[in-house]
């Protein structure tokens, strides 16, 4: 890590005292809240205080799938490992590790492991992270639905591509043509909380302005997933009123909704088959 930048150990040190206080308070609250239902049961526990770095490295190398729950127990994610250890493109769910990598990771996470932890608790941490990852992956596929529908129903081809405006570079979720000056740009956004509309709308308006500044004849549209009542969608639409935005469309989660929305958008842009 270059001098002057913080590591994961620094981040943990910032919040250690508050985190410990909260953990103690939560455990106390849980015991009081569920006192009539608490039972003492035997359960398999890994005593990490007895696990040395060499033991940990051998375990991770022999059973790579344990890396994710161990990292989760330390509040460590892939980005921290990549940043602090310079180990690139590591997938903590399905890691492919060399002996050197396993030893580096073992030495890195050992100080953050609790003295002991129950195996069911570790497996639930893994499950929670896996569910979150898969949900985010599914949401990402929604953006691909939009791109796919554009290519199936438009008279021109679209792809994700970047464009420059001044000294800055921006990315469009869908743009046409595939190369050369951009003639049509589409920004695809999932906005799933009303508190996010200010930031997301600013991003859309800014990108539209930058596209028009670089390509004055280009058209710009936004396809938005915003699962709230029509009046709230109207509020969002009003925030996107700009001479640089040619169309704002809302689509629900299904492929069918995306297809109908894209067809209507293309018709408005004069690009429908």
């Amino acid at each position: 890590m270059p001098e002057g930048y913080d590591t994961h150990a620094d981040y943990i040190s910032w919040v250690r005292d508050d985190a410990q206080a909260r953990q103690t308070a939560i455990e106390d609250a849980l015991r009081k809240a569920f006192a009539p239902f608490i039972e003492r049961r035997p359960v398999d526990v890994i005593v990490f205080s007895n696990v040395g770095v060499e033991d940990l490295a051998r375990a991770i190398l022999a059973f790579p799938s344990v890396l994710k729950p161990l990292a989760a127990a330390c509040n460590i994610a892939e980005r921290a490992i990549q940043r602090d250890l310079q180990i690139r493109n590591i997938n903590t769910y399905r890691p492919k590790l060399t002996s050197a990598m396993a030893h580096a990771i073992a030495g890195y996470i050992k100080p953050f492991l609790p003295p002991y932890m129950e195996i069911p608790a570790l497996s639930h941490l893994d499950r929670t992270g896996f569910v979150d990852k898969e949900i985010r992956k599914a949401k990402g596929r929604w953006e691909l639905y939009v791109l796919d529908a554009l290519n199936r129903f438009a008279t021109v081809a679209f792809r994700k591509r970047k464009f420059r405006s001044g000294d800055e570079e921006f990315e469009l979720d869908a743009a046409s043509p595939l190369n050369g000056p951009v003639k049509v740009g589409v920004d695809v956004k999932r906005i799933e909380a009303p508190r996010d509309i200010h930031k997301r709308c600013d991003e859309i308006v800014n990108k539209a302005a930058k596209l028009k500044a670089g390509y004055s004849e280009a058209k710009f549209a936004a396809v938005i997933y915003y699962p709230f009542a029509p009046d709230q969608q109207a509020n969002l639409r009003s925030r996107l009123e700009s001479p640089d935005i040619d169309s704002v469309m809302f689509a629900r989660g299904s492929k069918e909704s995306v297809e109908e929305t894209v067809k209507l958008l293309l018709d408005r842009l004069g690009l429908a088959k």
Side-chain angles (χ1 to χ4, degrees):
M1 177 65 63
E3 184 179 353
Y5 291 91
D6 301 309
T7 67
H8 192 72
D10 296 316
Y11 300 152
I12 292 294
S13 70
W14 298 344
V15 301
R16 180 180 289 112
D17 292 343
D18 289 342
Q20 182 59 51
R22 176 175 172 81
Q23 181 179 355
T24 300
I26 291 297
E27 289 180 359
D28 181 62
L30 286 168
R31 290 190 177 95
K32 291 176 179 177
F34 297 100
F37 311 101
I38 293 176
E39 299 177 3
R40 289 192 175 274
R41 296 180 176 178
V43 62
D44 289 338
V45 174
I46 302 174
V47 184
F48 288 116
S49 59
N50 293 338
V51 179
V53 171
E54 286 294 327
D55 302 314
L56 190 57
R58 282 194 293 270
I60 294 171
L61 192 59
F63 301 94
S65 62
V66 305
L67 176 57
K68 181 59 184 182
L70 293 177
C74 302
N75 200 40
I76 290 174
E78 294 174 16
R79 290 182 179 180
I81 294 174
Q82 292 180 12
R83 182 192 63 237
D84 294 351
L85 299 182
Q86 301 299 300
I87 298 177
R88 304 296 181 188
N89 302 318
I90 184 170
N91 178 351
T92 52
Y93 288 96
R94 296 179 180 273
K96 296 180 180 179
L97 304 172
T98 64
S99 178
M101 293 165 66
H103 278 78
I105 292 171
Y108 180 65
I109 68 175
K110 169 62 178 172
F112 303 117
L113 284 168
Y116 64 89
M117 197 164 185
E118 298 81 358
I119 285 180
L122 275 168
S123 69
H124 189 74
L125 280 176
D126 180 85
R127 175 188 173 89
T128 300
F130 181 79
V131 168
D132 179 70
K133 174 180 74 75
E134 292 300 301
I135 289 174
R136 285 187 283 109
K137 185 189 294 185
K139 290 180 179 180
R141 285 197 291 268
W142 185 83
E143 296 181 2
L144 295 179
Y145 294 162
V146 176
L147 180 58
D148 178 67
L150 284 167
N151 278 312
R152 284 192 291 122
F153 301 118
T155 56
V156 295
F158 285 86
R159 72 174 177 91
K160 178 177 284 193
R161 59 172 292 193
K162 296 178 180 180
F163 70 93
R164 296 196 66 83
S165 181
D167 296 329
E168 298 178 278
E169 187 173 67
F170 300 87
E171 186 171 66
L172 289 164
D173 298 300
S176 183
L178 304 184
N179 298 288
V182 178
K183 295 182 178 180
V184 183
V186 181
D187 202 28
V188 182
K189 281 279 192 296
R190 290 182 69 99
I191 306 176
E192 302 193 44
R195 66 183 179 184
D196 292 336
I197 65 173
H198 302 288
K199 179 180 179 181
R200 299 305 178 205
C201 287
D202 287 347
E203 290 173 353
I204 295 170
V205 171
N206 179 60
K207 190 176 293 186
K210 295 298 184 181
L211 178 65
K212 294 296 180 77
Y215 306 96
S216 59
E217 300 301 317
K219 294 181 179 180
F220 182 93
V223 176
I224 300 171
Y225 176 90
Y226 189 62
F228 296 95
D231 62 319
Q232 295 190 56
Q233 291 187 353
N235 175 45
L236 192 153
R237 188 186 295 276
S238 69
R239 292 179 179 276
L240 292 175
E241 290 183 357
S242 164
D244 297 317
I245 298 177
D246 298 283
S247 183
V248 175
M249 306 294 295
F250 292 93
R252 296 185 294 278
S254 68
K255 281 187 177 181
E256 293 75 16
S257 174
V258 169
E259 290 177 355
E260 291 305 313
T261 299
V262 166
K263 288 177 181 178
L264 182 57
L265 171 62
L266 292 172
D267 186 62
R268 292 181 178 180
L269 296 177
L271 297 172
K273 287 183 177 178

